[in-house]
Amino acid sequence: AADQLEFKLDNQRYFLKVSPLRDEYGLNWLIVVVVPEADFMAQINANTRNTIVLCLVALVVALGFGFITTRWLTYPIRQITQASQEMANGDLNQYIEPSRIIELDKLGNSFNRMTAQLKESVEALRIANEELENRVEQRTGELRQEKERSEQLLLNILPSEIADRLKRSESPTEHFEAVTILFADIVGFTRLSAQLEPMQLVAGLNQIFSAFDHLTEKYGLEKIKTIGDAYMVVGGLPIARPDHATAIADMALEMQAYMETMPNDLGKSLQIRIGINTGPVIAGVIGIKK
């Protein structure tokens, strides 16, 4: 039987094999084979190194292909994710590029259609809001104008301070220590009214009383009422003033001057009678109806 041994010589490892050899001629030999370890391990080590290098190269190539493949697969998904975040932040101008992957391409197309529909809805809502704001603004302007007209009509009937009290549901009745009241009427108006047409009579009175109204505003007085040809105005209320008698007297003089110098629609020269009195009064709005 063959024997295998190993030994070291000069720090090198050797393998030894002893094999017997016998033949029919009577030979009885021993064959000894000595092989240094370096003779056959060098190729094995070289093959091992080559195998490791090839494995590393294959690993690097596989990682590269895997990285490229991963980016190729995840790019559409990352694009959709980023577009979704931008839409959540209010930017609806998003578009997903087509993909070679069928499933991701379908997902991108669905996202693009959804974005387009959402933009249309937002635009329609914006237009509707603008129209609504315009209508509200227009209606508010109309209401403001109506309120101003109503206020003006109310101020044509009542002094502003009295009107404010009535709007606040406060009693407008008040005592005044000293005011001056003026009454004026046209001399011979009853006889004159029987001679004129009603429309001519009304037009003439309107001309005269409009002139008196301007004088009332000029002197800061309050017109109380007119009945037929009678005109009543007061000074010193609803806001007390110390010169109420002087203001009334000045207005009375201008009223007389107007009647003497200004032509009127009644076609006749007219005179007025004026009565003035000063003293305390209780002034206010009586009743609940005009």
Side-chain angles (χ1 to χ4, degrees):
D3 294 325
Q4 294 181 354
L5 299 173
E6 60 181 64
F7 62 92
K8 287 186 177 181
L9 180 63
D10 297 333
N11 292 327
Q12 291 188 9
R13 191 177 181 185
Y14 292 87
F15 293 98
L16 182 146
K17 183 177 182 179
V18 179
S19 301
L21 176 63
R22 293 185 179 88
D23 59 9
E24 65 272 11
Y25 300 107
L27 292 176
N28 187 8
W29 291 358
L30 290 176
I31 300 174
V32 178
V33 179
V34 178
V35 180
E37 182 184 27
D39 290 348
F40 66 89
M41 290 300 295
Q43 186 64 36
I44 295 175
N45 291 334
N47 292 336
T48 302
R49 287 194 296 271
N50 292 335
T51 301
I52 293 174
V53 171
L54 291 175
C55 290
L56 291 176
V57 171
L59 179 61
V60 172
V61 172
L63 289 176
F65 276 110
F67 180 75
I68 295 173
T69 303
T70 301
R71 286 182 59 86
W72 180 60
L73 292 174
T74 59
Y75 175 75
I77 299 176
R78 288 187 291 107
Q79 189 180 14
I80 294 175
T81 302
Q82 183 178 0
S84 301
Q85 293 176 351
E86 293 295 332
M87 289 182 63
N89 294 331
D91 185 5
L92 301 181
N93 296 319
Q94 304 298 322
Y95 177 75
I96 304 301
E97 299 177 357
S99 174
R100 295 181 180 180
I101 303 175
I102 298 177
E103 289 77 7
L104 295 179
D105 185 65
K106 291 181 178 179
L107 179 61
N109 291 334
S110 299
F111 184 89
N112 290 335
R113 288 195 298 270
M114 179 189 69
T115 303
Q117 293 175 357
L118 184 59
K119 288 175 63 177
E120 291 177 358
S121 299
V122 171
E123 182 65 17
L125 182 60
R126 184 188 64 82
I127 294 175
N129 286 336
E130 289 181 355
E131 292 179 353
L132 181 59
E133 290 177 358
N134 292 334
R135 292 179 182 177
V136 170
E137 184 177 357
Q138 180 181 0
R139 184 56 179 164
T140 302
E142 293 175 355
L143 292 176
R144 187 183 301 111
Q145 293 178 357
E146 290 296 331
K147 181 180 180 182
E148 292 175 355
R149 282 195 288 265
S150 299
E151 293 283 348
Q152 189 60 44
L153 288 173
L154 184 59
L155 294 178
N156 286 339
I157 300 173
L158 295 172
S160 59
E161 183 177 344
I162 301 300
D164 291 337
R165 291 184 184 180
L166 288 175
K167 287 188 290 185
R168 294 193 300 266
S169 299
E170 297 178 2
S171 174
T173 303
E174 188 175 353
H175 177 264
F176 295 88
E177 289 295 337
V179 300
T180 300
I181 300 175
L182 178 151
F183 279 96
D185 66 352
I186 299 174
V187 177
F189 178 78
T190 303
R191 174 173 43 80
L192 180 65
S193 62
Q195 300 173 0
L196 299 176
E197 294 294 330
M199 293 302 297
Q200 183 182 6
L201 185 66
V202 171
L205 287 177
N206 181 68
Q207 179 191 8
I208 295 172
F209 287 167
S210 295
F212 292 172
D213 289 341
H214 288 302
L215 293 177
T216 300
E217 293 181 2
K218 175 181 177 180
Y219 290 101
L221 305 172
E222 289 294 338
K223 174 184 176 181
I224 303 301
K225 66 178 179 178
T226 60
I227 301 178
D229 64 326
Y231 190 94
M232 179 182 178
V233 64
V234 62
L237 64 78
I239 299 176
R241 51 185 293 183
D243 62 339
H244 51 85
T246 302
I248 287 289
D250 290 338
M251 178 178 173
L253 293 175
E254 284 206 41
M255 291 169 68
Q256 287 182 333
Y258 171 80
M259 296 299 293
E260 292 175 357
T261 60
M262 298 299 294
N264 57 76
D265 292 339
L266 297 179
K268 297 180 180 296
S269 178
L270 301 176
Q271 294 180 344
I272 58 171
R273 292 178 295 221
I274 299 176
I276 299 175
N277 191 23
T278 298
V281 297
I282 296 292
V285 178
I286 305 302
I288 59 175
K289 294 293 183 179
K290 177 176 178 296

